[in-house]
Amino acid sequence: MSRYDFASDNTAGAAPEAIASLVEANAGFASSYGSDRVTATAAQAVRSLLDADVDVRFVASGTAANAIACATLCRPFEAVLAHAHAHICTDETGAPGFFGHGLGMIGLPGASGRIEPDALDAALGQADAPHHQSAAALSLTQSTEYGAVYTLDELTRLTCAAAAAGLPIHLDGARLANAVAAGFDIRSLKSLGVSILVIGGTKAGMPLSEAVVLFDPSLSRRFDARLKQAGQLPSKGRFLAAPWIGMLQTGAWIARAAHANAMAKALAALMPFPLAHPVQANAVFVEMDEAALARLQAKGWSVYRFIDGSVRFMCSWATTLEAVEALGEALRGVV
Amino acid sequence: MSRYDFASDNTAGAAPEAIASLVEANAGFASSYGSDRVTATAAQAVRSLLDADVDVRFVASGTAANAIACATLCRPFEAVLAHAHAHICTDETGAPGFFGHGLGMIGLPGASGRIEPDALDAALGQADAPHHQSAAALSLTQSTEYGAVYTLDELTRLTCAAAAAGLPIHLDGARLANAVAAGFDIRSLKSLGVSILVIGGTKAGMPLSEAVVLFDPSLSRRFDARLKQAGQLPSKGRFLAAPWIGMLQTGAWIARAAHANAMAKALAALMPFPLAHPVQANAVFVEMDEAALARLQAKGWSVYRFIDGSVRFMCSWATTLEAVEALGEALRGVV
Amino acid sequence: MSRYDFASDNTAGAAPEAIASLVEANAGFASSYGSDRVTATAAQAVRSLLDADVDVRFVASGTAANAIACATLCRPFEAVLAHAHAHICTDETGAPGFFGHGLGMIGLPGASGRIEPDALDAALGQADAPHHQSAAALSLTQSTEYGAVYTLDELTRLTCAAAAAGLPIHLDGARLANAVAAGFDIRSLKSLGVSILVIGGTKAGMPLSEAVVLFDPSLSRRFDARLKQAGQLPSKGRFLAAPWIGMLQTGAWIARAAHANAMAKALAALMPFPLAHPVQANAVFVEMDEAALARLQAKGWSVYRFIDGSVRFMCSWATTLEAVEALGEALRGVV
Amino acid sequence: MSRYDFASDNTAGAAPEAIASLVEANAGFASSYGSDRVTATAAQAVRSLLDADVDVRFVASGTAANAIACATLCRPFEAVLAHAHAHICTDETGAPGFFGHGLGMIGLPGASGRIEPDALDAALGQADAPHHQSAAALSLTQSTEYGAVYTLDELTRLTCAAAAAGLPIHLDGARLANAVAAGFDIRSLKSLGVSILVIGGTKAGMPLSEAVVLFDPSLSRRFDARLKQAGQLPSKGRFLAAPWIGMLQTGAWIARAAHANAMAKALAALMPFPLAHPVQANAVFVEMDEAALARLQAKGWSVYRFIDGSVRFMCSWATTLEAVEALGEALRGVV
């Protein structure tokens, strides 16, 4: 029997707080397309989380949310700067180009998914030319694709460079909860100059929901039309909004992520293979040869090799210490 | 206080059968992106409903589902034939053109949302020319935007004409449950030559979910990549699939729609304004002047004037007879 | 033998002034992509014509020029207001939607291709809603698709309404030379608030070239990248620019259009069929039944029925009085 | 004074044979949009060149021609395999993604712009997954971006691999004339399984024109509509077609390319800097440090550093031996 516990943080179900809110929101009639009270309450909870007066939308897909953000900030003959291994560059089937009508992605290097500041500077210093897609926005990921967490100083270094070059910023927060649980102050986002933030609900323990946050009020005009055309303005909007109420009002959005992070640390502690990246959030990446991976998979553990060649283990709100220990034992058996 | 009961059939919550399935599906870990058992079970339930061996996907948005269907069947320099008042033509913010990279819509006339066969023939008879977008697919809606239900003969007349001209067919079944509850044999679809069918879950009583059915197996290749790029391949796919299990296995998908249809008939029976369209599914359209509409709205009833100038009242699985009677009384008071 | 003299104003070759300039520009080496001296000289000639300090580009296609203009002014979830029978609405195979990623066109009524001001006001008064593509730009055509010429007052009425609503303006000047020859003061454009103007070279007697004029300097940034990506930044740019030098410096651009207009008036004077539109530029539209049209075509005259049901005869710089008289005789023979 | 002789092969004007044909084609009226006799004659000349019964179109832009070819062969969620330094990957401002609605490019390695066969095999062996854009077409360039010429055996190796994987082939022949002049048998293309070929006219000595050749007849349906929507179906089509008549019927298309190749060899013989790539067509790439390049540019020679770090010198039909010698002397002076 396959075990999906560590295959991804999207193999878990939804946390009880999310389900409870969803069921509660189901009662009665409500106006459509996000104009209902549940959505208003959830948006307010996001504003409280961020301590910022922002526009909030709830959409069904992180792929769409991030791609729409890029399309909002760039034109088709421009490009987004992002880490070369950012999800949006490698794992979205070209969604930014689809939603952005051919907009380009410029991949930047950096350890553990964090963009190397000098590389950003070099990219920002590139002169415009009509023959290539010039950079028009910076996309950051917190926590990163490799489970690292930018410090505020590191983020500030990057956002200031982008701002100095006139580039707006998108932040992919699919795992922002894990970064916050690891110590990142989410209220710092309002002063970092982020234009569009996507906050992950799905990986944080909701059924499927991402919050799109517009820090830049000039982006709000006709944003609902943008979402509708792109298939991201659901009629029964309350079902995407509701889980946020339970997860945020109870603190579960952070507490559940803290659990996931703790499970990752526990797994790292048991790990007989060398770590490929620092374990700062809910991911454990290790160096493991093909034979060992095959043996582990043969035992039923569904995990896979990542784009950088290491093998990834993800923890989630639902990961149990028993599972971590069982995996640890399995890992020791395949060394 | 506003009453949204009749504003749309998407103002209702989800039916108990849908919620129960969703909660049940929440247990444990599951593989991602639609490769899980819940999704497989739901897809099988759809196949049983249709009595057809088809590929099934579950997506979060009807707008996206229908637009992706059009983009699958047409190229950007081609067009989709549809009723001029079909949802896809009038109410999707140009989604077919967005997902289809500029593909065109050619609006056809016909009473109560049913395409007039002669108009279809005329459109199909148009010679290709490089200066306009020639028809490449036919889009049908069952039940129609005006609450009418095509008979099998009527549908056959249209699909045969399209097939003779080499055009594949898309069927927008956002309210297919209501058509089935009104007597339409859903198993007839497999012999009608439909290429892509979108079955509505949301309006039928689910939180948010639409089933995309590929009757034409040649369309299946890389269809998941198409969905992923378009933001419609959710990682926690089970949450879009689960409600179908409860709704289909219990028969609620049809039974709940039958209730909605019955409420519409009950409302029509009480209606002091002339009907604008036959009441065959869950919609009641009436001729009402601006003053009467304003008086009704002033009483708190959220309803609105439709594109054809009539005023629309929608019933859903959640509409109560009490509400119908209360609305009937309100209507009599504003004549 | 077919005679194409009156089929369109694009069936003529290029005027001697255009060819002479092109041949002259052929000498020697030149830098690429519009950075050459020929292009600079031609751009200066356009600025002199307009008496305005504007950015000018030369492209190969009016379809692309107008579609790129729309895409520059609107986002995919928005729409362009234009006359319902404007070329861009009816005869471009959906190019605005292709270049604009699904942007919509909203067709407005009005006699002889001139937008009816009240209809524009009504369209501008439409409230935004996420479910449809709201107007974001106004597209005008001078002279119109039906050979009418807006007076300055008429244009001002429309551009002021658009400006008051915050909409930028695109002017399709495929036949602007004919309007100017008919008395329209081209220098008035700079004060009309036009953002992007496309000046027709092809129909005015060049091989193939259209000038894209950016009145709004904020649009210039990365415009060459936009053109390059869209396939409209030719490497040997001098060949698109050169004809403008000869045509503008000699005054032929206007003088040749004046001839075309005079030929249209001469044809109208001989015309045995009722005129469908006033003859103000180089087009003659008449009411002619199918049998008469067939008889005319059988005599070898290539002309065709237009979208409004009338039959179109176009004159160009190359139309001769002999041809007009021969056509007049043929027309009298088919009454 | 700047000298553009070697900056590119698009800094030259048009060859006398091209201009003569263009001027000759100018006479009289002609039907529009490529339905004229000049276009028919030019298309026939291309068929004779290829010794193949193919559909031919003439367009104004190589960027557009190649991007439209990719869009014809791939869907947005798929990708084109090409050399990582192919023009289409590096120098088109993302045109394939724009015309192809987000389609991806997968860059392959290989010496001097020739795709390494093993790398192609590896790419073709990649399993489909919904999370990335799978390969759907192979794009080749002959002669390559670095002035190399594939042998027929080398091309066959690549096209057979693609065909075995079911991928159609696009060939970018912007400099096909140079390859043919270097010994490549152009008639071999018909048996290589190329689906769409773009033959360069511009760099071969025409004003601006590229021939799009459809070897696969199934692609012809509605291809004119595709071109029209994309702004590549010019009304006065004869002006794009005419130069081909003179260049092909006189043999100048090959003879002029042979001259360009000979000039490149002459330059290579004089070159005091080490060659970075074999000189097989009309390009000379050399290793030159920044100081030397700056000194050369300071003498007025407009040349630049290429994406691989070498410095490029291009020869064309118009390059003179005097210029080669003058450049040679300048180069010796900056060593």
Side-chain angles (χ1 to χ4, degrees), chain B:
Chain B
M1 197 197 95
S2 285
R3 294 203 55 172
Y4 294 104
D5 316 37
F6 298 93
S8 178
D9 37 1
N10 60 33
T11 57
E17 298 88 346
I19 292 289
S21 278
L22 188 150
V23 171
E24 185 180 348
N26 191 40
F29 293 90
S31 62
S32 313
Y33 299 107
S35 63
D36 61 286
R37 293 182 185 196
V38 170
T39 300
T41 302
Q44 187 53 41
V46 172
R47 279 189 284 271
S48 296
L49 176 73
L50 298 168
D51 190 23
D53 183 23
V54 288
D55 251 14
V56 182
R57 299 292 186 286
F58 301 101
V59 301
S61 156
T63 298
N66 289 313
I68 289 169
C70 292
T72 300
L73 301 178
C74 294
R75 296 173 294 177
F77 47 95
E78 297 178 326
V80 175
L81 298 170
H83 193 280
H85 286 195
H87 203 72
I88 207 166
C89 285
T90 63
D91 222 18
E92 304 282 34
T93 324
F98 181 78
F99 284 89
H101 196 189
L103 71 75
M105 302 298 302
I106 299 174
L108 300 176
S112 299
R114 282 180 299 235
I115 293 172
E116 168 62 36
D118 291 349
L120 174 61
D121 291 345
L124 293 171
Q126 284 282 319
D128 274 16
H131 308 288
H132 65 251
Q133 292 173 292
S134 297
L138 171 65
S139 177
L140 299 169
T141 308
Q142 175 80 315
S143 59
T144 76
E145 200 67 10
Y146 291 109
V149 178
Y150 282 107
T151 66
L152 182 55
D153 281 355
E154 288 169 339
L155 275 186
T156 303
R157 168 71 177 81
L158 299 174
T159 58
C160 285
L167 270 67
I169 294 158
H170 157 248
L171 197 144
D172 176 354
R175 296 184 180 106
L176 185 58
N178 302 99
V180 173
F184 175 71
D185 180 3
I186 196 170
R187 290 168 304 180
S188 68
L189 287 172
K190 73 180 167 200
S191 45
L192 271 171
V194 171
S195 290
I196 306 186
L197 164 69
V198 178
I199 313 181
T202 308
K203 286 171 178 157
M206 304 186 197
L208 70 163
S209 186
E210 311 288 306
V212 178
V213 176
L214 304 176
F215 278 95
D216 175 350
S218 76
L219 303 178
S220 294
R221 184 162 181 261
R222 296 182 173 169
F223 198 77
D224 280 345
R226 186 189 284 274
L227 292 178
K228 176 74 185 257
Q229 186 186 41
Q232 296 293 334
L233 188 71
S235 58
K236 292 186 174 176
R238 56 174 143 168
F239 288 106
L240 294 182
W244 290 87
I245 299 174
M247 292 296 284
L248 290 180
Q249 289 186 346
T250 65
W253 187 74
I254 298 173
R256 297 287 189 180
H259 170 80
N261 291 3
M263 290 300 100
K265 288 216 185 302
L267 177 59
L270 297 175
M271 184 59 72
F273 293 91
L275 295 177
H277 297 287
V279 177
Q280 297 175 338
N282 62 323
V284 180
F285 286 82
V286 303
E287 292 166 17
M288 186 184 293
D289 65 30
E290 202 56 23
L293 175 57
R295 284 193 295 271
L296 186 66
Q297 289 169 333
K299 291 177 182 224
W301 295 94
S302 177
V303 292
Y304 61 94
R305 196 171 295 285
F306 213 67
I307 188 175
D308 73 335
S310 64
V311 172
R312 186 182 82 158
F313 300 85
M314 294 303 295
C315 297
S316 73
W317 73 271
T319 307
T320 62
L321 194 53
E322 290 71 24
V324 168
E325 287 169 352
L327 173 61
E329 189 174 318
L331 283 161
R332 283 189 299 274
V334 302
V335 174

Side-chain angles (χ1 to χ4, degrees), chain D residues 5-335:
Chain D
D5 316 36
F6 299 92
S8 177
D9 37 0
N10 60 34
T11 56
E17 298 87 347
I19 292 288
S21 276
L22 188 150
V23 170
E24 185 180 349
N26 190 40
F29 293 90
S31 61
S32 315
Y33 300 107
S35 62
D36 62 285
R37 292 181 185 197
V38 170
T39 300
T41 302
Q44 187 53 41
V46 172
R47 280 189 285 270
S48 296
L49 176 73
L50 298 167
D51 190 22
D53 183 24
V54 289
D55 251 13
V56 182
R57 299 292 187 285
F58 301 100
V59 303
S61 157
T63 299
N66 289 313
I68 289 170
C70 292
T72 300
L73 301 179
C74 294
R75 297 174 292 178
F77 47 96
E78 297 178 327
V80 175
L81 299 171
H83 192 281
H85 286 195
H87 203 72
I88 208 166
C89 285
T90 63
D91 220 19
E92 304 282 35
T93 325
F98 181 77
F99 284 90
H101 196 188
L103 71 74
M105 301 298 302
I106 299 173
L108 300 176
S112 298
R114 282 180 299 235
I115 294 173
E116 168 61 37
D118 291 350
L120 174 61
D121 290 345
L124 293 171
Q126 283 283 320
D128 274 15
H131 307 290
H132 65 253
Q133 293 172 291
S134 296
L138 170 64
S139 177
L140 299 169
T141 307
Q142 176 79 316
S143 61
T144 76
E145 200 68 10
Y146 291 110
V149 177
Y150 282 107
T151 65
L152 182 55
D153 280 355
E154 288 170 339
L155 275 186
T156 302
R157 169 70 177 83
L158 298 174
T159 59
C160 284
L167 269 68
I169 294 159
H170 157 248
L171 196 144
D172 176 353
R175 296 185 180 106
L176 185 57
N178 302 98
V180 172
F184 175 69
D185 180 4
I186 195 170
R187 288 167 305 178
S188 69
L189 288 172
K190 73 182 167 199
S191 46
L192 272 171
V194 171
S195 289
I196 305 186
L197 164 69
V198 177
I199 312 180
T202 307
K203 285 170 178 157
M206 304 186 197
L208 69 165
S209 184
E210 310 289 305
V212 179
V213 176
L214 305 176
F215 278 94
D216 176 351
S218 77
L219 302 178
S220 294
R221 183 164 182 259
R222 295 181 176 171
F223 198 78
D224 280 344
R226 186 189 284 274
L227 292 178
K228 175 74 186 253
Q229 186 186 40
Q232 294 293 336
L233 188 70
S235 58
K236 293 185 174 176
R238 55 174 143 167
F239 288 106
L240 294 182
W244 290 87
I245 298 175
M247 293 295 284
L248 291 180
Q249 289 186 347
T250 64
W253 187 74
I254 298 173
R256 297 285 189 182
H259 170 80
N261 292 3
M263 291 300 100
K265 289 217 185 301
L267 177 60
L270 299 175
M271 183 59 72
F273 293 92
L275 296 177
H277 298 287
V279 177
Q280 299 175 337
N282 62 322
V284 180
F285 285 82
V286 302
E287 290 166 20
M288 188 185 292
D289 64 30
E290 202 57 23
L293 175 58
R295 285 194 294 270
L296 185 66
Q297 289 169 335
K299 292 179 183 222
W301 295 95
S302 177
V303 292
Y304 61 95
R305 197 171 294 285
F306 213 67
I307 187 175
D308 73 335
S310 62
V311 173
R312 186 182 81 159
F313 300 86
M314 295 302 295
C315 297
S316 72
W317 71 271
T319 307
T320 61
L321 193 53
E322 288 72 24
V324 168
E325 287 169 352
L327 174 60
E329 189 175 317
L331 284 161
R332 284 189 298 274
V334 302
V335 175

Side-chain angles (χ1 to χ4, degrees), chain A residues 32-310:
Chain A
S32 316
Y33 301 107
S35 62
D36 62 285
R37 293 181 182 196
V38 171
T39 300
T41 302
Q44 187 53 43
V46 172
R47 279 188 286 270
S48 297
L49 175 72
L50 298 168
D51 190 24
D53 183 23
V54 289
D55 250 15
V56 182
R57 300 291 187 284
F58 302 100
V59 303
S61 157
T63 299
N66 289 313
I68 289 170
C70 292
T72 300
L73 301 178
C74 294
R75 297 174 292 177
F77 46 96
E78 297 177 327
V80 176
L81 299 170
H83 193 280
H85 286 195
H87 203 72
I88 208 166
C89 285
T90 63
D91 221 19
E92 304 282 33
T93 325
F98 181 78
F99 283 90
H101 196 188
L103 70 75
M105 301 299 301
I106 299 174
L108 300 176
S112 299
R114 282 180 299 235
I115 293 172
E116 167 62 35
D118 291 349
L120 175 62
D121 291 345
L124 293 170
Q126 283 282 319
D128 273 16
H131 308 289
H132 65 252
Q133 292 173 292
S134 296
L138 171 64
S139 177
L140 299 168
T141 308
Q142 176 79 316
S143 60
T144 75
E145 200 69 7
Y146 291 109
V149 178
Y150 282 107
T151 66
L152 182 54
D153 281 354
E154 289 169 339
L155 274 186
T156 302
R157 168 71 176 81
L158 299 174
T159 60
C160 284
L167 269 68
I169 294 159
H170 157 249
L171 195 144
D172 175 355
R175 295 184 181 107
L176 185 57
N178 302 99
V180 173
F184 175 69
D185 180 3
I186 195 169
R187 288 168 305 178
S188 68
L189 287 172
K190 72 181 168 200
S191 45
L192 272 171
V194 171
S195 290
I196 306 186
L197 164 68
V198 177
I199 312 180
T202 308
K203 286 171 177 156
M206 305 187 197
L208 70 165
S209 185
E210 310 289 306
V212 178
V213 176
L214 304 176
F215 280 93
D216 176 350
S218 77
L219 302 178
S220 294
R221 183 162 183 260
R222 295 183 174 168
F223 198 78
D224 280 344
R226 187 189 284 273
L227 292 178
K228 176 73 187 257
Q229 186 186 39
Q232 295 294 335
L233 188 71
S235 58
K236 293 185 174 177
R238 55 174 143 166
F239 289 106
L240 294 182
W244 290 87
I245 298 175
M247 292 295 285
L248 290 180
Q249 290 185 346
T250 64
W253 187 74
I254 298 173
R256 297 286 188 181
H259 170 81
N261 292 3
M263 291 300 100
K265 289 215 186 302
L267 177 59
L270 299 175
M271 183 60 71
F273 293 92
L275 295 178
H277 298 287
V279 177
Q280 299 175 338
N282 62 322
V284 181
F285 286 81
V286 303
E287 291 166 18
M288 186 184 293
D289 65 29
E290 201 58 21
L293 175 58
R295 285 193 294 271
L296 185 65
Q297 289 169 334
K299 290 178 182 223
W301 295 95
S302 176
V303 292
Y304 61 94
R305 196 172 294 284
F306 213 66
I307 187 175
D308 72 335
S310 64

